[in-house]
Amino acid sequence: MTSSATSPVLETARRAKAAAAVLAPLPRTVRDGALLAIADALRARTEEIVAANADDIAKARANGTSEAIIDRLTLTPERIEAIAADVTKVVALPDPVGEVLRGSTLPNGLELRQIRVPLGVVGIIYEARPNVTVDAAVLCLKSGNAVLLRGSSSAYASNTALVAVLRDAVEAAGLPADAVQLVPGESRDSVKELMRARGLVDVLIPRGGASLIRTVVEESTVPVIETGVGNCHVYVDEHADLDMAVRILVNAKASRPSVCNAAETVLVHAAVADAFLPRALSALAEAGVTVHGDETWQRVSDTVLAATEEDWATEYLSYDIAAAVVPDLDAAVAHIRRWSSGHTEAIVTRDQSAARRFVSLVDSTAVMVNASTRFTDGGQFGFGAEIGISTQKLHARGPMGLPELTSTKYVVTGDGHIR
Amino acid sequence: MTSSATSPVLETARRAKAAAAVLAPLPRTVRDGALLAIADALRARTEEIVAANADDIAKARANGTSEAIIDRLTLTPERIEAIAADVTKVVALPDPVGEVLRGSTLPNGLELRQIRVPLGVVGIIYEARPNVTVDAAVLCLKSGNAVLLRGSSSAYASNTALVAVLRDAVEAAGLPADAVQLVPGESRDSVKELMRARGLVDVLIPRGGASLIRTVVEESTVPVIETGVGNCHVYVDEHADLDMAVRILVNAKASRPSVCNAAETVLVHAAVADAFLPRALSALAEAGVTVHGDETWQRVSDTVLAATEEDWATEYLSYDIAAAVVPDLDAAVAHIRRWSSGHTEAIVTRDQSAARRFVSLVDSTAVMVNASTRFTDGGQFGFGAEIGISTQKLHARGPMGLPELTSTKYVVTGDGHIR
């Protein structure tokens, strides 16, 4: 495939593949040792990291970047300490590598085992959060993978400093330094090259906005895991506890609107519209949320803006929500199947049979019954760590922890067995 | 994405997606009922199928198709009976849909379950074996998926007849007929359209030659599962039982050379070359195998042809084998990592530590210790059925049974839980 061509990006990928071969058979103690070395090195070299980060921040200010994005970009000694503390938490997580998933003795006496093995080389494409550089590298190393990091060009100085720290620590712990590499180049071309490095890179995980993810999915020949686009719905059923429904709706929308598991549309059964809409509108207004509603919602209050098809399709990531009244549960499901990004949908109902039907008919990563959409999260699910939330159906669906960063291998042991 | 465009292929995919939504929540009894109806219908309508098949055979003969391929294409009443009997065996297999893979009560009392759900719409692209039409459809239906079948144009009449039988049976059993569809059009364009039907088709499984699979992998925006290319190796270690090694080598190469789990290269540790090569050559010659060897092999016999790099890369699928002597186990592993397609590799050794090292360093779907490569097979592994052998690392690796035709969904049940 592309393995005969050369470029700085492909060279990086080739070195990652070689490092992955060294890394895969190493036992847990060595990999965990590298993680502890990383935590120590982050603490010891905090000044150097903060200084590099200051360059990125100065550039961002000069470019007129918003304070919200500058805040995401900023590394302080406290934040670096928190990152280092998170690394030590990953050390304590169970090792996915070597887990036996299936095993049996076949009728002919052959011993069959299916065991977890690292994927090999994992490429992460992400935006201006330098903490992802460490998180992603640590989760990949813990699961025995080499990692190629392609962060935002706006965090290039920070990422360069962080990766230098990571590589030194990894090497001191006896792993190949090339197990952690920053993809060279700040332009979009380096992303394109990474997407064509089939045979060198085993999987690409784009983390970021919908347009980045769409580009990678459309153009990559390397297998991709889609993450994080969340057009999530809350459906308030005919038999909902309306107090609970208001509480869940406000939490799902307004507790943190910028994240993928926040709700973007509320659908209400016609039978409870009269009772629910005024209460929902007042609670949403109090939380600072603008409602983009259908005609029924608009009739209840002047504050409701008219919703168009675009609103059904939009992941606002802001204090906005689309709102519609539906004739029944099946209409809610049809709306969701049409417009959802397949992330998380919630039903609020007291009716067991309605809950069962909703769970069975909704084709999304996670379905919540009487709970906020905000719970779709690796930490909340008890996975201890998360590299992203897959919204695709192959390989991994939902919050991806360490096991989702592995593949499997069959080991078959015999005594001269032939067919 | 492509869902606003129209064409006969996309219309087919759209109908499949609608059928998949109906199919997914149906209980096992209904799906199994459809399978039994298919078995009955195949038996009842054998004449009609054989007549359509005769058209394909006549065309193939007129085109000068080889007898081996005509044999694969041929359906007789006996073969149709065997296909129907296989369908009833699938009925008896455990239902993958609804299996709870993980479950826990979270610290806040939320109940978390990860359950298996159908993938949705599965597209199968395959060559001139009309039995695959029934096998693939039945495995997809059993696992709750709608299936789009794109067989070889040389089997178009047979496939059309078979799919008509399948659709009638499925519909009579209460499933949507569109759960089983033949992709219209005999040209390559229909494959191209299928590959771009992202959002309508959930996965494409190409079954067939390396060039078909490469095309699909390179051009498809629909996720693909690579199957079946097998450049498999047998490594005869320094500490091998040489009688066993000869037996395994001959079995791996010559018991059925046309299949993907047949061996294509033998690597021999230098320490046993003098003892092993003459015995291997004599046994291989007896089995009708031509050896393409390195200089050491060539020195042993005039019958050995000179191997080039192309031989290391070739999946012969014939009575040919590439052969080399390597200085040690690590050199064997390096050769395999360089040239293997990642299907199956075998080591023959008495040395436990050599076996352990080989298993750990070889990055292939299956690793055999003292057993023939021919055992990598869903039937042999006890899966009861197989839709193909995945040689990729994401989603499924190795023989794919019913569970590999599913995805998962998280169901989270609370009592008004918010974050």
Side-chain angles (χ1 to χ4, degrees), chain A residues 287-337:
Chain A
V289 176
T290 303
V291 176
H292 306 250
D294 66 4
E295 286 179 8
T296 315
W297 281 82
Q298 291 171 52
R299 274 200 295 275
V300 178
S301 164
D302 291 349
T303 63
V304 174
L305 305 178
T308 64
E309 287 220 333
E310 213 186 311
D311 289 287
W312 311 139
T314 298
E315 186 190 18
Y316 295 111
L317 299 172
S318 63
Y319 286 93
D320 292 85
I321 194 164
V325 169
V326 290
D328 55 25
L329 185 145
D330 282 13
V333 168
H335 181 107
I336 290 168
R337 289 190 82 102

Side-chain angles (χ1 to χ4, degrees), chain A residues 59-82:
Chain A
K59 251 195 217 161
R61 281 248 153 71
N63 293 338
T65 306
S66 77
E67 282 305 312
I69 289 179
I70 286 179
D71 182 58
R72 286 186 186 185
L73 180 60
T74 302
L75 292 172
T76 61
E78 294 69 34
R79 287 185 178 183
I80 292 170
E81 171 53 37

